[in-house]
Every structure is written in structure tokens, then in C-alpha cells.
Amino acid sequence: MDSRLHVLWQEGEAVIYLYIFAGLIILFFLWSFLEQKIIVKTEYNIEPKEPGILTRNFTFVVISDLHNTYLRKNYKVLLQKIFAKDPDFVIIAGD
């Protein structure tokens, strides 16, 4: 292969890698933006080991990672989800 063609081929490979890298950067920033709009809800049911310890069920809501901008601007969505559970306790956990 001619040395000039070899250099052009290497430059072409570099451009492809540059496009792949740029695409990954764009996907990273897109995911970072969209992740702020996701509210994750996980439910646990904990049964006492011995019967008769608890006379009623308690509902806890644990909130964490409130530092993103989406919840600061749209806190009403979060409050509606909390009030829908009618919790006995609301716990705000830090990072």
C-alpha cells in the first residue's frame, strides 16, 4: 500500500473514532439531563419476627437526592406522590 494511502486510511480511522467519542459524550449529557426527571419508587413490606409486637402497620416515605434542579422546580409532583401514600413518617435522607 502506498504510504500516502496508508496515512489517509489512518486519518479516516481517527475521524471515525472522533465521531464515536462525540456520540458517547452527547449520550452521556442526554442521560444526565433525563435522569433528573426520573422518580424511583421502591416498596418494602417488613413483617415483625414475633407476633403481637406491632399493633398496626406504619408507612414510611424516604426521600433522597433532592439536589437536582428538576425537583426544585416541580416539587408539586413529588408532594402529590408522597401524599398519595398517606405516610405516617416522611424521612429525608442525605447522600
Side-chain angles (χ1 to χ4, degrees):
M1 184 183 280
D2 186 17
S3 64
R4 285 181 277 172
L5 289 176
H6 186 68
V7 170
L8 288 175
W9 175 253
Q10 287 179 340
E11 289 176 4
E13 283 181 350
V15 170
I16 290 171
Y17 289 127
L18 183 63
Y19 283 136
I20 290 171
F21 181 72
L24 289 173
I25 295 292
I26 290 170
L27 285 174
F28 172 76
F29 281 109
L30 185 63
W31 172 250
S32 296
F33 174 74
L34 293 175
E35 183 186 24
Q36 294 180 11
K37 297 185 182 309
I38 298 171
I39 296 176
V40 178
K41 180 179 100 174
T42 305
E43 293 188 24
Y44 298 99
N45 186 17
I46 302 171
E47 300 287 333
K49 291 183 180 178
E50 299 176 22
I53 291 178
L54 295 176
T55 58
R56 67 183 281 278
N57 293 330
F58 291 99
T59 304
F60 292 85
V61 171
V62 180
I63 305 167
S64 66
D65 297 325
L66 291 178
H67 49 76
N68 62 32
T69 57
Y70 176 75
L71 289 178
R72 276 191 243 152
K73 292 179 183 176
N74 298 308
Y75 64 91
K76 291 179 183 177
V77 173
L78 178 63
L79 290 177
Q80 288 173 349
K81 290 182 181 279
I82 292 171
F83 291 141
K85 295 303 289 181
D86 191 27
D88 297 306
F89 301 96
V90 177
I91 301 169
I92 301 175
D95 287 341

